[in-house]
Amino acid sequence: GFRVGQGLIERFTKDTSRFKDELDIMKFICKDFWTTVFKKQIDNLRTNHQGIYVLQDNKFRLLTQMSAGKQYLEHAPKYLAFTCGLIRGGLSNLGIKSIVTAEVSTMPACKFQVMIQKM
């Protein structure tokens, strides 16, 4: 996921102007990046303005097929590991070192928590 994220960001940002700040980069990830990869924008982006961002997708494409029952809820985070790598790789190529974790409380919704690591 990490390597794929790096490659995708290279391709998507070659024609865009430079980003002003961290929040600008996260908005790009939520709108343009997510739309290109998953055919929809992130539903909600929240931040505490101290380097933690929460990206919420209420109908995540990779979980919609298995969201029929509760029996898959405990296995759902395994399917989000690739996407965590995708986000982390994309941010890495934009100069942001981060830790990305995912959580699923109700399917097919999920939250990705991005913790920015200051260099």
Side-chain angles (χ1 to χ4, degrees):
F2 184 82
R3 180 65 203 111
V4 175
Q6 285 182 316
L8 288 174
I9 279 293
E10 267 178 40
R11 191 172 306 147
F12 298 160
T13 58
K14 70 176 193 271
D15 297 327
T16 57
S17 57
R18 287 200 84 41
F19 297 108
K20 290 187 296 259
D21 56 6
E22 210 172 76
L23 184 60
D24 220 24
I25 291 173
M26 291 308 293
K27 286 179 184 174
F28 175 82
I29 295 284
C30 291
K31 289 181 184 160
D32 303 321
F33 184 76
W34 212 260
T35 301
T36 308
V37 177
F38 297 109
K39 310 279 188 269
K40 68 184 276 303
Q41 288 185 7
I42 273 288
D43 295 308
N44 197 340
L45 168 67
R46 281 191 246 137
T47 180
N48 67 353
H49 298 288
Q50 295 170 357
I52 295 182
Y53 296 88
V54 177
L55 289 68
Q56 183 173 344
D57 193 330
N58 295 329
K59 200 161 184 247
F60 190 57
R61 284 182 92 90
L62 299 180
L63 295 178
T64 50
Q65 292 300 314
M66 68 166 96
S67 63
K70 285 187 166 38
Q71 73 265 29
Y72 300 115
L73 193 60
E74 66 185 69
H75 299 293
K78 294 178 202 164
Y79 294 93
L80 301 177
F82 179 81
T83 309
C84 288
L86 210 61
I87 296 168
R88 204 169 65 85
L91 289 172
S92 167
N93 232 11
L94 294 172
I96 295 179
K97 192 174 181 211
S98 62
I99 297 172
V100 182
T101 56
E103 86 178 43
V104 181
S105 49
T106 57
M107 302 251 273
C110 64
K111 290 180 183 176
F112 296 95
Q113 183 175 5
V114 179
M115 284 189 295
I116 307 297
Q117 297 178 304
K118 300 296 178 197
M119 306 244 182

